[in-house]
Amino acid sequence: MLILTRLPGEAVVMESASGEKAKVVVLENRGAQVRLGVIADPSISVDREEIYLRKKEESSRG
């Protein structure tokens, strides 16, 4: 696991070998919560983890 420290307004950029990019921007810190903004190529699906896992489970059922 890569652990990064970012301040509001700072970002992390990810790029796949095929050139697809995603940028995650820290928008705000509110106590124990962090608001993030995600900018990604349209071909990249962006979901909260629990939604991603639910979709994966539903697709494996058929």
Side-chain angles (χ1 to χ4, degrees):
M1 176 187 303
L2 174 64
I3 300 172
L4 302 169
T5 302
R6 302 276 68 203
L7 296 172
E10 294 180 334
V12 175
V13 178
M14 295 157 278
E15 183 174 2
S16 71
S18 62
E20 296 170 313
K21 296 179 186 173
K23 181 176 183 178
V24 180
V25 181
V26 178
L27 300 176
E28 180 180 17
N29 292 329
R30 288 185 183 176
Q33 291 185 333
V34 178
R35 293 186 67 212
L36 302 173
V38 179
I39 303 166
D41 287 344
S43 61
I44 299 173
S45 177
V46 179
D47 289 309
R48 295 188 320 257
E49 183 178 29
E50 62 273 18
I51 301 299
Y52 167 79
L53 293 173
R54 186 180 318 144
K55 286 180 178 179
K56 188 174 179 180
E57 182 180 319
E58 289 172 359
S59 69
S60 69
R61 288 186 204 160

